[in-house]
Amino acid sequence: MSELNRCQVEFQPVGKRVPVSKGVTILEAARQAGIELASSCGGEGSCGQCLVVVLSGEVSSPIADEKYMVGAHDLERGYRLACTTQVLGSLKVHLPPGTLISGQRLQLESSLGGIDPDPFVRAYPLHLPPPHLEDLRADLTRLEDALRSQHAIAELKAGRAAIASLPGSLRQNNWRGQAFVRQGEIVAFRPSSDTPLGFAVDLGTTKIAAALIELESGSCLGSGGRPNPQTSYGEDVISRLGFAVRSPEGGQVLAGKVRETLDELLGDLVRQAGAAREAVAEACIVGNSAMIHLLLQLPVRQLAIAPYVAASNSAQDLPAAELGLRMAPGASVHIPPAIGGFVGSDHVAMILASEMDRRETICLGIDIGTNTEISLRLPGEERMTAVSCASGPAFEGAHIRDGMRAASGAIERVRLGQNGPQLTTIENQPAVGLCGSGILDAVAELYRTGCLNAGGRFQSDRAGVRSGELGLEYVLAPSGSSGSGRDIVITQHDVNEILLAKGAIHAGLVILLESQGVPLEAVEEVIVAGAFGTFISIPNSVAMGLFPRLPNARYRQVGNAAALGARWVLISRAARQTALEIAHRTDYLELTTYPKFNRQFALGMRFPERRQP
Amino acid sequence: MSELNRCQVEFQPVGKRVPVSKGVTILEAARQAGIELASSCGGEGSCGQCLVVVLSGEVSSPIADEKYMVGAHDLERGYRLACTTQVLGSLKVHLPPGTLISGQRLQLESSLGGIDPDPFVRAYPLHLPPPHLEDLRADLTRLEDALRSQHAIAELKAGRAAIASLPGSLRQNNWRGQAFVRQGEIVAFRPSSDTPLGFAVDLGTTKIAAALIELESGSCLGSGGRPNPQTSYGEDVISRLGFAVRSPEGGQVLAGKVRETLDELLGDLVRQAGAAREAVAEACIVGNSAMIHLLLQLPVRQLAIAPYVAASNSAQDLPAAELGLRMAPGASVHIPPAIGGFVGSDHVAMILASEMDRRETICLGIDIGTNTEISLRLPGEERMTAVSCASGPAFEGAHIRDGMRAASGAIERVRLGQNGPQLTTIENQPAVGLCGSGILDAVAELYRTGCLNAGGRFQSDRAGVRSGELGLEYVLAPSGSSGSGRDIVITQHDVNEILLAKGAIHAGLVILLESQGVPLEAVEEVIVAGAFGTFISIPNSVAMGLFPRLPNARYRQVGNAAALGARWVLISRAARQTALEIAHRTDYLELTTYPKFNRQFALGMRFPERRQP
């Protein structure tokens, strides 16, 4: 093959380059680069999952099917299907999170997306004259004078803890080092080798995801997650609020648990990064309103009963020490604003990082979790609208007999073929349970193959359906082939949990659209966010009625956009401002008091009409 | 007596009126009103203690002696000697604290002096619409919206604790009440019957004086005092800092002790006033630099060793909860700025309340305590200078065998006549010990009568001097006449303690004047502040050399001006600004490194030449 026919394709944000022959598809080029793209149709241009963005370079023109799947608007913005687009020259290609499969998606977690760091905390190198008999200025005055004269910072202040740290840190560093300053507030005096760090947290009802970020570069030094330790006091939002309301010390216990876990997570991250806690200058924590109320130990009685009023939806900055986070002495925690009801700062962060607020399409944003938030954006309109659905923790693997988190051995894909279940597990290990996307696949396939009827009841005459301890169930993996040594099954109860979640999300979505007078077919884009939403099969979600029947290409799986939004707010002053504007521009719609809610909830618990594949 | 010859004299701030005959002296009028004025010469115009200010009304012209004693400058401002000034018409007379004797002086504690309240915290009456399904605003947003629309407050913020209090307080008060707001920061939502209160504290090394103030009127609802509980860890500043430096938890223990006592004092005051802790919206605490460092638990190692550098001398505002003070949820504590070394916010407050910074005289300000601060003001000069003297706790009754605080039965005046000691006790009770002014009188009289020589040694051949357990001593009250059932004596050790204090103050004063090139005789005014300074006999203080030999009339005893200054800073924005300017304008002079310090200290420990009475 001549050199003339060779081109180079660069894939971002995974950062891989591969030389390929002119004429291959981008999907093929990705395979050659060792990147597996989502593609349930096997490259036939019919599933719309392998959506990529061509940032630069020459490619083939879209074929008719692709034009239909992607839409003129997105084609203009460079969106293409990897399977039908040919490489005609050297390319730079962006892979949206939803297009990558699990393993590679994790790499994305260390990417910032399209934002330039411009943090609130800055480091100012300083060399101070030590005190002597002719110069008896207080340590704080000495530092402030140097910041004013050497760095022209006019307005300075310092809290008690930061002041208390100065006599030690100035003398230990021999009066040389750098001051971390946050909008005129002195955060710490640190050795010259330090760089200011940030702690970004997505505080979910079931899971906590956190990252340690270099504030000035935006680099991620490490990320990690933990189960939310409050889960043992109530798995969903309402039962957890109930615990806080019932017992006088309930709120204190819940706040203490989650604060402790956050501090441990931070400890792990700084240890792994070889950094110092004292260099962590700011944190940004997003979460739904209940999680933020419990974290801050705000009263929740009025949030737990109709009409569900928050103590505060406003953005807050508070000393890290007030939340028991051991960071830099003057470090603070920023909580972005919430929207209303349970639609919290996590949803604001999701709208921010998905840039949904800037879309020029009729756009739905769905963040699936124990509580699912959905918002609607209409082009040319200032206001957006958001609802909250109590979808429960089933998609996070809780309340499901063999549910588990997305770890090694979790079933993440299920196909029921003629020879029985075909399972894909994380890291190809023997199956030990089902993570969210596996549960969803399993239920969708059980319905497609008729093992479940439209009402979600197991049909006892179907192969694989058997009578279990608690009623009918379906065996996905018999004990002999499972990694857990016992049968992995889907029970009737599991199906019911999924149907409840599906009903709640369906009701929210239908009422949200109806309240704004938008017919379903008019929706041009559906942004699916959240760890679970990243990994699910859109076609299966549509087939089982979790998501509405819209062309696959209108769905965008954007990954944990709330966690990404928390990072943006942490490192960018502009993003923090945008978050305020998003909260301000978004109206909260209380679903449970909506007259049609119960009916739509019940409708949503049924499966839709089966379509032929 | 005809009505024509009757006039009315009103005495402020004690608020008493009395009808008198035209022609009586103001001193006589005061006696008729039941007010006892200081007057050691018995009304002969020679001691200058009965200084008053004629605010309005007709009085006799000053006689020659009075012109000399008071001075032209002060005569113009209305200052007169009560004993030589005749009432010629109805009068309004102001009594400076130093002119009143003890019992009446306490009433002064409830006076504010010449300042108009203009507090940082304001109360805004509000009536809020309760939440309902069409109005789901968060509690904080609802309150902020009402403050904006009903009171046109533009910029608002709230801390975690204030937000946490809203759901309860809004609902308990049925959405009616008032918001306490401090410069845009929401402090509390309170019932309409409440008024915002303040807590003013003079945190002395030995004693804590506090008052509960109505912020909007400036009225004092009550005042009280406690010994500083840190005393058991070190009686003077240096030994107490030593305790904090030596033990790793020392600082924590000392901070905890004093915070606890402050909170108890506040509890007593609100209980006595029938008020709620939650209505106390702000505190102002003044103290020397060591006391403030220990209160805030700032590191003190660098303050305890040369060159004695503070962690911070800046003004600070911090949440009351951070100091363990249970006040309104969003309450804060203001610490005015310090000057340098140990010259702290208490001295700034003293300069403020005595208005020394505005004097057009060459003026010394002396605040006597366990640490004594002295500052010098020169007319027409921007800068002032301050020094700090380690005078020790002797004048506060500590380290003195029969020393006690100024309580019932304390000897406050001593005269050694031919028939032995003549003692005046507080409330005329049997003597149980000596308070500061009694100790000073006793030592001055022992020297005047030759029982002590110029070096301060007891002379064994004098009547009353006997050999005690620890050397020579003088019996002031034998056990038979004392209220304690044992002899009340002045020991050689007691005298030595006083001489040490006297030496320290003398050295500070001489070096301060010399450093600024001011001869002693040029000093036109000496402001004597502090609880002890209020009660002492100026003639005796001069006779024993504690104060320099200047005419009595140049001395002004202004009471606990530091405590008064704390109140000013609490209730007046202008005063808070002036305090910043005073600290900024005042240079600290480090005494102990001054070459002549030791010599002046030794000189000051001797008594001056005796003068004939």
Side-chain angles (χ1 to χ4, degrees), chain B residues 234-474:
Chain B
E235 279 183 335
D236 57 29
V237 165
I238 289 293
S239 59
R240 208 170 300 171
L241 293 182
F243 178 81
V245 170
R246 273 194 310 277
S247 128
E249 281 82 34
Q252 202 176 338
V253 168
L254 294 180
K257 288 281 173 194
V258 74
R259 291 173 183 184
E260 210 172 275
T261 299
L262 287 175
D263 192 54
E264 285 168 13
L265 244 173
L266 175 61
D268 290 350
L269 292 178
V270 293
R271 204 164 32 249
Q272 285 157 19
R277 277 179 179 273
E278 292 73 23
V280 184
E282 196 171 13
C284 174
I285 304 179
V286 302
N288 69 47
S289 305
M291 290 310 106
I292 295 298
H293 274 63
L294 294 176
L295 169 70
L296 301 185
Q297 215 185 320
L298 299 177
V300 292
R301 185 181 295 275
Q302 80 294 336
L303 187 66
I305 54 172
Y308 313 105
V309 174
S312 166
N313 285 328
S314 305
Q316 283 183 68
D317 289 286
L318 64 167
E322 206 169 325
L323 299 185
L325 293 175
R326 288 168 294 161
M327 299 169 40
S332 58
V333 174
H334 178 75
I335 313 276
I339 290 170
F342 293 136
V343 185
S345 47
D346 53 351
H347 197 61
V348 170
M350 174 265 168
I351 293 176
L352 175 76
S354 68
E355 296 186 315
M356 181 179 152
D357 57 314
R358 303 186 185 180
R359 288 291 208 283
E360 290 305 323
T361 55
I362 298 177
C363 176
L364 280 170
I366 306 183
D367 196 344
I368 301 175
T370 306
N371 228 55
T372 294
E373 294 88 21
I374 314 176
S375 50
L376 176 65
R377 156 104 184 119
L378 303 176
E381 289 206 9
E382 169 73 12
R383 312 294 308 166
M384 299 184 282
T385 312
V387 299
S388 168
C389 321
S391 43
F395 289 134
E396 311 200 51
H399 288 195
I400 299 293
R401 204 198 88 149
D402 289 320
M404 66 178 287
R405 64 191 183 85
S408 186
I411 299 169
E412 59 169 349
R413 285 278 172 270
V414 175
R415 185 153 180 97
L416 301 186
Q418 292 187 326
N419 305 320
Q422 295 155 22
L423 308 178
T424 309
T425 61
I426 294 181
E427 292 169 5
N428 292 317
Q429 295 301 303
V432 289
L434 292 121
C435 66
S437 59
I439 296 163
L440 183 136
D441 269 14
V443 172
E445 287 286 283
L446 288 169
Y447 173 56
R448 184 181 64 78
T449 56
C451 293
L452 293 169
N453 69 8
R457 313 305 302 172
F458 270 115
Q459 304 299 301
S460 55
D461 56 345
R462 296 299 173 126
V465 176
R466 72 176 188 195
S467 196
E469 272 178 48
L470 299 164
L472 295 178
E473 62 186 26
Y474 184 91

Side-chain angles (χ1 to χ4, degrees), chain A residues 242-527:
Chain A
F243 179 81
V245 170
R246 272 193 310 276
S247 130
E249 280 81 36
Q252 202 175 338
V253 168
L254 293 180
K257 288 281 172 194
V258 74
R259 291 173 182 184
E260 211 171 275
T261 299
L262 287 175
D263 192 53
E264 286 168 12
L265 244 173
L266 175 60
D268 289 350
L269 292 177
V270 293
R271 202 164 33 249
Q272 284 157 19
R277 276 180 179 275
E278 292 72 23
V280 184
E282 195 171 14
C284 174
I285 305 179
V286 302
N288 69 48
S289 305
M291 290 310 105
I292 295 298
H293 274 62
L294 293 176
L295 169 70
L296 302 184
Q297 216 186 320
L298 299 177
V300 291
R301 186 181 295 276
Q302 80 294 337
L303 187 66
I305 55 172
Y308 314 105
V309 174
S312 165
N313 285 327
S314 306
Q316 284 183 68
D317 289 285
L318 63 167
E322 205 169 324
L323 299 184
L325 293 175
R326 289 168 293 162
M327 299 168 40
S332 58
V333 174
H334 178 77
I335 313 276
I339 290 170
F342 292 135
V343 185
S345 47
D346 52 352
H347 198 60
V348 170
M350 174 265 168
I351 292 176
L352 174 76
S354 67
E355 297 188 312
M356 181 179 152
D357 57 313
R358 301 185 187 182
R359 288 292 208 284
E360 290 306 322
T361 55
I362 298 177
C363 177
L364 280 171
I366 306 183
D367 197 344
I368 301 174
T370 306
N371 228 57
T372 294
E373 294 87 21
I374 313 177
S375 49
L376 176 64
R377 155 104 184 118
L378 303 177
E381 289 204 11
E382 168 75 12
R383 311 294 308 167
M384 298 184 284
T385 313
V387 298
S388 168
C389 320
S391 44
F395 289 134
E396 310 200 54
H399 288 196
I400 300 293
R401 206 200 84 149
D402 289 320
M404 67 178 287
R405 64 190 183 85
S408 186
I411 300 168
E412 60 168 349
R413 284 278 172 271
V414 175
R415 182 151 181 99
L416 301 186
Q418 292 186 326
N419 304 320
Q422 294 155 24
L423 309 177
T424 309
T425 61
I426 293 179
E427 292 170 5
N428 292 317
Q429 295 300 302
V432 288
L434 293 121
C435 67
S437 58
I439 297 163
L440 184 137
D441 269 12
V443 172
E445 286 288 282
L446 288 168
Y447 172 56
R448 184 182 63 78
T449 56
C451 294
L452 293 170
N453 69 10
R457 312 303 305 171
F458 270 115
Q459 305 299 299
S460 55
D461 56 345
R462 296 300 173 125
V465 177
R466 71 177 189 194
S467 197
E469 274 177 45
L470 300 164
L472 296 178
E473 61 186 28
Y474 184 91
V475 185
L476 280 175
S479 57
S481 73
S482 86
S484 66
R486 66 174 202 165
D487 294 348
I488 296 173
V489 301
I490 297 281
T491 67
Q492 183 67 56
H493 175 264
D494 295 344
V495 175
N496 295 351
E497 288 286 322
I498 295 295
L499 292 178
L500 281 167
K502 184 170 112 59
I505 294 173
H506 170 87
L509 208 142
V510 167
I511 293 172
L512 173 60
L513 288 173
E514 194 177 292
S515 76
Q516 304 304 304
V518 176
L520 174 62
E521 313 77 62
V523 173
E524 295 167 272
E525 231 179 335
V526 183
I527 294 172

Side-chain angles (χ1 to χ4, degrees), chain A residues 114-157:
Chain A
I115 192 155
D116 294 321
D118 173 24
F120 282 79
V121 179
R122 298 278 185 181
Y124 297 93
L126 287 173
H127 185 185
L128 306 175
H132 59 91
L133 287 175
E134 304 295 308
D135 175 6
L136 295 170
R137 284 174 296 168
D139 288 354
L140 176 61
T141 306
R142 187 175 306 275
L143 181 63
E144 288 181 340
D145 287 350
L147 281 167
R148 277 194 208 95
S149 64
Q150 295 175 36
H151 296 284
I153 306 180
E155 290 285 314
L156 283 164
K157 56 180 179 171

Side-chain angles (χ1 to χ4, degrees), chain A residues 199-204 208-211 262 265 283-287 562-563 566-567 570:
Chain A
F199 184 45
V201 178
D202 176 22
L203 176 55
I208 304 174
L262 287 175
L265 244 173
C284 174
I285 305 179
V286 302
R567 294 190 201 176
L570 184 65

Side-chain angles (χ1 to χ4, degrees), chain B residues 527-538:
Chain B
I527 293 172
V528 181
F532 163 73
T534 309
F535 297 94
I536 55 174
S537 154
I538 295 293

